[in-house]
Amino acid sequence: MRNVRLAPFTGDDLIYRFCSVAGAAGRAVVPFEALAAQVDALDVERAPLVTLAGSDPLEHPDFPELVARCRARGLTRFRLVTDGYGLASDTVIAFLRDSGIDEVRVVFPTHDPRTYARAMRTRTRFDACAAGLRKAAESGLETHVVVPLTTFAREHADAFLDWLRPLPLSGLLVEAPEVHRVPERFRDALLPYADAARLTAALFAESRRQRRVIGVFERWIVPPCGADGALDDYGDLFNQRYKHYRAHTDTPTTRVAACATCDLTSACPGVEPDYLAVYGDAALRPIPLDEANTWYTKPINRLDEIPFKRVSAFDNQERSGKRGLLRINGHCNMGCSFCFVDLSQPNVDVAALTAELDRLAATGVTELVLSGGEPTLHPGLPEVVAHGKRLGFATIELQSNGVRLAHPDYAAQLASAGLDVACLSLHSHDPDVSDRITKRPRAFAKTVQGLHNLRALGVQTRISHVISRLNYRDLPAFVRFARAEFADGPLDICFAIAQEISSQTSTWVLPTFTDIKPFVREALDHCLAHGVTFSGLIGQGSYPPCMLDGDLRYYERALQEVHLSRDTPDWVKPDRCRTCAFDTRCLGVRRSYVATYGDAEIRPF
């Protein structure tokens, strides 16, 4: 429970005010006793963000008491959703500050008073709501304007953006109303998907120029097949859409003709039936995988945290010692669709990193892994490596895309600092395919050169290869290329299956275990025949042994490289796994995989 919603009124939703017969007058007050009971039932230990919403909470007669009740229970994170009506008061602003409510979202569809009156079903509140929006923004509260994507917002969109420009807003959020929540007589105010996408793109583009946060108010409903390419720069919206529908399986959706040939059917549940009743499906088109891979899928809304562990500890059943991973940044010079790290995370201060290394060493970690993001973008990486060497870690490993390591001087600097092992990502043998996967032009040759540079310096190298729907058919060819390219000396490849570790990952890029099976077998057979060692398949690599029929040739040499996370709530095993010979060595499969593809492929041996 990361976010809970408390609504002091019922019968009125600001996003849907345009289709309310009575407007604000039609709302009903929720008794304080009922609200207090909701507060008392919250799991405070999980530190939820409390969103106060539903009509305008400020107008509830017991609003101060409600906030006090929340704070008395130890709740400290608040967000207020309002139409701005009461925000023009210095007293209200001071109360919000004193209560710890420092984020305000003001639903405000347009700056034009007449259009506003139709959109918000009121003839009297525009001036007060506009003054409240302005006051909140100028007060220093983190203030976001929320724009419902309707004809009212489109009517004066350019002039509205001009009107917003001088306000010191933190950001702009959008919300597309769901057709099934809008009575038929009000549906002429709705926008078809393509129009909603184009309006969103225009609002976002101007907000970006103003360096404002952009994003979605609550959830995104426009599917990629209906966006008409307008949102390719905001591909994370489609990731968010899928995650929502998977979490809310009671939301009705249906398939359309375009779904039959669309490459995203595993990640998209279809379209809202009521939308089809109004607009039909003629404008919906199938999306090919190559097109989806061009989308920019970095999170566009920094308001919603994308959790990932910056420090992780792993155990190994086959050898002594402990393995510890430390992410020194989150940002990267690539944009792989299967990446799970929040790429907006900056470099961590070197002093904080060295202190973290001290703690890892004190807990008995012997194998240190430095990762990111892309750790070579951190200017303090050589210093961090050197500090780890002074602490006496048995091995110091770097996880990198290798682009900067193509520079011999930089590679030598890291080797001199004490780098023992480098695991460099390379996801295709074809330069064009590799660059499309990573979204970094001309990066392939640099990664290959980085591997050569490190090998020449005596650093043990390993190739990290993520198997996805973008490359799995070329897996045997990739292994043959790697053996030929690095013909001298040992060659080790760490395979992993693209997996939905965080909401950053694009679900449509995840392959099924069954689809990749023959290609994995052929690739591993070549490894065994040509002296290529490999790891990563079981454990965190997420390819359970039963997918290769328990053939020990593929696992016996890889067992010592299986590192199991101590924190595995994301993994699941069917009951039948208890009869499997590998039960004690296999984590199972990720819950997200089962949510997408089911668990019928899992067969104990």
Side-chain angles (χ1 to χ4, degrees):
M1 182 173 54
R2 302 178 62 82
N3 191 346
V4 297
R5 183 183 177 99
L6 290 178
F9 295 97
T10 60
D12 181 38
D13 187 313
L14 294 176
I15 297 295
Y16 293 88
R17 178 75 66 79
F18 71 94
C19 61
S20 169
V21 175
R27 65 192 178 191
V29 176
V30 177
F32 176 75
E33 293 74 17
L35 293 170
Q38 295 178 47
V39 173
D40 293 343
L42 296 180
D43 184 355
V44 178
E45 291 187 359
R46 300 189 67 178
L49 169 65
V50 178
T51 297
L52 300 160
S55 193
D56 190 335
L58 289 172
E59 298 181 64
H60 192 283
D62 298 311
F63 181 73
E65 288 76 13
L66 175 61
V67 174
R69 185 67 164 248
C70 290
R71 291 184 61 81
R73 287 226 57 214
L75 296 166
T76 59
R77 303 170 60 217
F78 299 95
R79 172 187 295 155
L80 173 67
V81 179
T82 171
D83 64 3
Y85 188 73
L87 291 177
S89 164
D90 288 333
T91 302
V92 170
I93 295 294
F95 170 77
L96 296 179
R97 285 188 179 284
D98 293 343
S99 302
I101 304 174
D102 55 6
E103 183 187 344
V104 175
R105 297 186 175 185
V106 181
V107 178
F108 205 85
T110 181
H111 73 299
D112 180 75
R114 292 185 178 181
T115 308
Y116 184 96
R118 290 183 287 133
M120 299 299 280
R121 312 291 294 178
T122 177
R123 295 173 180 239
T124 61
R125 293 171 69 97
F126 172 80
D127 289 338
C129 292
L133 172 62
R134 184 176 295 105
K135 180 73 173 181
E138 293 173 348
S139 72
L141 292 176
E142 187 171 349
T143 305
H144 302 84
V145 64
V146 178
V147 181
L149 298 172
T150 63
T151 58
F152 304 114
R154 185 180 61 178
E155 195 170 328
H156 306 283
D158 291 341
F160 183 34
L161 288 169
D162 290 340
W163 185 83
L164 291 175
R165 189 171 293 119
L167 298 182
L169 294 168
S170 300
L172 180 146
L173 310 176
V174 298
E175 186 81 358
E178 298 173 272
V179 176
H180 75 271
R181 295 185 59 180
V182 179
E184 287 190 21
R185 67 185 175 117
F186 293 104
R187 288 181 178 175
D188 59 350
L190 297 176
L191 296 175
Y193 286 150
D195 288 356
R198 282 189 284 269
L199 177 58
T200 297
L203 295 172
F204 281 2
E206 174 60 25
S207 296
R208 272 185 165 177
R209 283 191 285 271
Q210 300 299 316
R211 298 185 179 276
R212 291 170 175 163
V213 170
I214 55 175
V216 176
F217 171 55
E218 289 187 335
R219 75 181 191 87
W220 184 251
I221 64 170
V222 177
C225 62
D228 198 28
L231 297 172
D232 288 1
D233 287 343
Y234 311 101
D236 190 55
L237 292 174
F238 304 130
N239 285 345
Q240 293 179 33
R241 179 180 186 269
Y242 173 68
K243 267 78 172 180
H244 174 86
Y245 277 109
R246 195 175 67 190
H248 299 82
T249 55
D250 56 337
T251 304
T253 56
T254 187
R255 297 291 185 184
V256 298
C259 296
T261 55
C262 182
D263 280 335
L264 308 190
T265 52
S266 63
C268 177
V271 181
E272 187 184 355
D274 290 82
Y275 177 89
L276 297 174
V278 177
Y279 298 107
D281 68 350
L284 308 181
R285 63 180 180 87
I287 304 295
L289 192 61
D290 285 344
E291 179 181 339
N293 188 52
T294 65
W295 295 339
Y296 188 73
T297 54
K298 176 181 176 180
I300 63 172
N301 187 346
R302 63 174 173 78
L303 298 173
D304 297 319
E305 180 185 10
I306 296 181
F308 65 90
K309 281 187 171 293
R310 202 174 66 77
V311 181
S312 302
F314 301 88
D315 290 324
N316 188 298
Q317 297 183 24
E318 296 297 315
R319 62 178 192 254
S320 60
K322 296 180 180 179
R323 185 174 174 89
L325 180 145
L326 176 63
R327 299 189 186 281
I328 69 174
N329 61 6
H331 62 102
C332 184
N333 49 6
M334 290 184 173
C336 306
S337 299
F338 47 74
C339 184
F340 60 88
V341 177
D342 183 349
L343 299 181
S344 67
Q345 297 295 316
N347 291 326
V348 179
D349 184 73
V350 170
L353 293 173
T354 55
E356 200 66 66
L357 293 184
D358 293 342
R359 284 190 286 273
L360 286 172
T363 62
V365 168
T366 57
E367 302 173 35
L368 173 66
V369 181
L370 299 173
S371 188
E374 174 46 49
T376 62
L377 298 181
H378 197 306
L381 176 59
E383 182 179 350
V384 173
V385 172
H387 187 76
K389 183 58 66 174
R390 288 192 294 271
L391 289 172
F393 290 109
T395 61
I396 299 177
E397 177 180 332
L398 175 69
Q399 293 181 345
S400 169
N401 60 39
V403 170
R404 283 203 67 194
L405 295 164
H407 300 284
D409 291 346
Y410 184 70
Q413 185 181 7
L414 290 180
S416 298
L419 184 65
D420 299 296
V421 183
C423 186
L424 303 193
S425 300
L426 193 64
H427 306 304
S428 177
H429 68 291
D430 183 308
D432 292 335
V433 173
S434 178
D435 292 350
R436 284 202 301 271
I437 290 173
T438 62
K439 302 184 179 70
R440 171 69 186 258
R442 298 178 296 280
F444 171 86
K446 294 179 181 178
T447 299
V448 172
Q449 185 59 51
L451 283 162
H452 282 298
N453 288 345
L454 291 174
R455 291 165 72 90
L457 290 164
V459 176
Q460 179 184 340
T461 60
R462 180 181 296 124
I463 296 174
S464 172
H465 185 82
V466 177
I467 304 169
S468 71
R469 290 182 65 203
L470 299 166
N471 65 1
Y472 74 89
R473 295 178 183 275
D474 294 331
L475 189 56
F478 174 81
V479 171
R480 290 193 290 270
F481 156 80
R483 180 70 282 182
E485 179 71 25
F486 306 103
D488 297 330
L491 176 63
D492 182 47
I493 303 177
C494 180
F495 296 103
I497 316 300
Q499 29 187 324
E500 191 181 324
I501 297 177
S502 81
S503 59
Q504 166 86 17
T505 311
S506 297
T507 305
W508 48 262
V509 84
L510 274 59
T512 69
F513 295 148
T514 302
D515 283 346
I516 69 175
K517 179 176 179 177
F519 304 97
V520 172
R521 271 189 172 276
E522 184 180 344
L524 296 187
D525 286 343
H526 188 86
C527 289
L528 291 172
H530 294 85
V532 179
T533 57
F534 52 86
S535 60
L537 291 173
I538 54 179
Q540 303 295 123
S542 193
Y543 199 49
C546 58
M547 291 302 100
L548 294 175
D549 306 317
D551 191 330
L552 288 179
R553 294 180 306 127
Y554 302 132
Y555 295 101
E556 57 185 348
R557 292 194 300 179
L559 286 176
Q560 66 175 349
E561 296 297 333
V562 177
H563 299 278
L564 306 180
S565 172
R566 301 173 191 171
D567 182 18
T568 57
D570 293 335
W571 299 82
V572 64
K573 287 185 179 181
D575 289 341
R576 56 185 177 275
C577 288
R578 297 174 185 172
T579 64
C580 181
F582 254 82
D583 184 36
T584 61
R585 299 182 181 276
C586 176
L587 285 175
V589 294
R590 289 193 179 271
R591 294 181 187 276
S592 55
Y593 182 93
V594 174
T596 302
Y597 295 123
D599 66 3
E601 297 167 289
I602 308 300
R603 291 184 293 275
F605 62 88

